[in-house]
């Protein structure tokens, strides 16, 4: 698989899927996360949970990550021009990418090449990435922030990051990990963690998005506790480019007709 992955980008086997992020109050789409998928002609769809670690171990994640960023910026720019939407685009950065000395130049070049406004790009860094594994982490994120990009801490609550670490990072938003969200209504301890995370993020002047929102009970709880944005199957699964394009066309039609987005409440 590692050998096949080396040729996946060149053979046009990689795809970028998009999952919308919505406002908790109105459920209107305000952003999307770009997610890479591998569709092998013989083996079928290969799970990112399997091939991303392979890509990181082999170093292929550097070129794949750049391809995902460039492709997502091209798509997001086209949607901006077609609909006038300034949706935020979230793209993940792995620890291997963050260790590259030319990362900031790569991001800057892609933004310049695609014409995508850095203010609408949010680079997601998982909480498990630490200063010990990536010694220049804070400096790299500061430099990306200086370009105008936003920074989000992904999978929050699952790593071993200290509060001091959180305070030092130039993070604009915190993404609550789906493992806590999915236990809303099941585990009071996880509910307490979600409440505390939302409160802490707001006190630190960070926005909050909850991942893994799957049922109405999740939605009601997160709304009641002031979560800013939501992402999950309750609203939409990750969609390929053309399907997401249709979704945005429908959103444009609804807004043009003066209709409000559908509200589950």
């Amino acid at each position: 698989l590692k050998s096949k992955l080396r040729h996946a980008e060149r053979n046009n086997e990689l795809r970028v899927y998009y999952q919308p992020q919505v406002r908790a109050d109105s459920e209107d789409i305000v952003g999307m996360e770009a997610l890479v998928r591998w569709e092998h002609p013989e083996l079928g769809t290969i799970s990112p949970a399997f091939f991303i670690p392979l890509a990181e171990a082999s170093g292929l994640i550097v070129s794949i990550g750049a391809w995902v960023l460039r492709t997502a910026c091209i798509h997001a720019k086209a949607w901006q021009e077609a609909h006038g939407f300034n949706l935020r685009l979230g793209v993940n950065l792995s620890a291997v990418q963050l260790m590259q000395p030319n990362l900031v130049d790569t991001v800057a070049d892609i933004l310049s090449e695609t014409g995508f406004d850095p203010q609408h790009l949010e680079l997601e860094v998982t909480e498990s990435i630490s200063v010990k594994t990536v010694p220049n982490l804070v400096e790299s994120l500061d430099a990306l922030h200086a370009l105008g990009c936003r920074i989000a801490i992904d999978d929050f609550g699952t790593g071993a990051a200290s509060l001091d670490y959180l305070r030092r990072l130039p993070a604009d938003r915190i993404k609550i990990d789906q493992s806590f969200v999915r236990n809303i209504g099941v585990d009071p301890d996880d509910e307490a963690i979600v409440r505390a995370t939302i409160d802490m993020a707001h006190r630190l002047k960070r926005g909050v998005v909850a991942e893994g929102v799957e049922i109405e009970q999740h939605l009601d709880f997160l709304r009641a506790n002031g979560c800013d944005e939501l992402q999950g199957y309750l609203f939409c699964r990750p969609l390929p480019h053309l399907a997401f394009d249709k979704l945005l066309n429908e959103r444009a039609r609804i807004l043009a007709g003066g209709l409000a987005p559908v509200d589950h409440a």
Side-chain angles (χ1 to χ4, degrees):
L1 277 177
K2 192 180 294 185
S3 174
K4 294 178 185 300
L5 186 57
R6 294 183 187 279
H7 305 290
E9 181 183 339
R10 184 181 64 198
N11 293 342
N12 196 31
E13 297 169 9
L14 299 179
R15 306 284 185 272
V16 180
Y17 278 50
Y18 299 91
Q19 186 171 33
Q21 297 171 341
V22 305
R23 283 176 56 98
D25 52 4
S26 67
E27 297 182 37
D28 188 21
I29 299 174
V30 291
M32 62 269 188
E33 180 179 0
L35 302 161
V36 64
R37 297 290 185 265
W38 182 12
E39 297 178 4
H40 192 274
E42 298 170 359
L43 302 175
T45 301
I46 301 173
S47 169
F50 190 77
F51 79 81
I52 291 297
L54 275 181
E56 291 179 330
S58 63
L60 292 171
I61 194 65
V62 175
S63 62
I64 290 174
W67 177 85
V68 170
L69 178 60
R70 180 177 293 104
T71 302
C73 285
I74 290 171
H75 290 165
K77 178 67 174 178
W79 288 324
Q80 281 182 347
E81 293 177 346
H83 305 299
F85 300 155
N86 288 322
L87 301 180
R88 184 183 56 246
L89 169 65
V91 179
N92 293 279
L93 291 178
S94 76
V96 178
Q97 288 174 278
L98 285 162
M99 285 188 280
Q100 302 303 306
N102 65 337
L103 172 65
V104 178
D105 290 338
T106 298
V107 173
D109 289 345
I110 290 173
L111 288 169
S112 175
E113 172 190 332
T114 60
F116 190 64
D117 189 339
Q119 294 184 22
H120 302 307
L121 175 62
E122 183 171 81
L123 299 168
E124 300 185 8
V125 181
T126 182
E127 189 198 18
S128 61
I129 296 175
S130 69
V131 177
K132 291 182 180 179
T133 55
V134 184
N136 62 332
L137 176 63
V138 176
E139 292 77 11
S140 294
L141 295 183
D142 279 337
L144 290 168
H145 218 238
L147 283 179
C149 304
R150 303 184 189 189
I151 305 296
I153 300 178
D154 197 11
D155 302 333
F156 189 82
T158 60
S162 68
L163 294 179
D164 177 63
Y165 167 87
L166 173 60
R167 179 177 59 83
R168 290 169 58 197
L169 292 183
D172 301 282
R173 293 204 307 160
I174 289 172
K175 301 188 73 177
I176 303 175
D177 188 70
Q178 58 187 1
S179 62
F180 298 105
V181 174
R182 287 175 178 165
N183 278 336
I184 290 172
V186 178
D187 189 333
D189 288 343
D190 281 350
E191 289 182 356
I193 289 172
V194 171
R195 284 194 197 96
T197 301
I198 294 170
D199 182 62
M200 177 187 65
H202 286 163
R203 289 179 183 274
L204 291 172
K205 296 181 173 55
R206 267 78 161 171
V208 190
V209 59
E211 299 182 289
V213 181
E214 297 184 346
I215 59 176
E216 298 283 348
Q217 189 174 15
H218 298 165
L219 170 63
D220 294 340
F221 178 91
L222 292 162
R223 268 185 179 163
N225 286 278
C227 189
D228 303 310
E229 296 175 17
L230 312 170
Q231 179 178 345
Y233 286 4
L234 178 63
F235 310 103
C236 189
R237 291 173 177 268
L239 299 173
H241 171 240
L242 290 179
F244 197 79
D245 186 59
K246 290 180 180 178
L247 178 68
L248 293 184
N249 283 329
E250 178 64 14
R251 176 179 183 265
R253 187 190 66 80
I254 291 173
L255 293 177
L259 302 175
V262 175
D263 192 332
H264 287 262

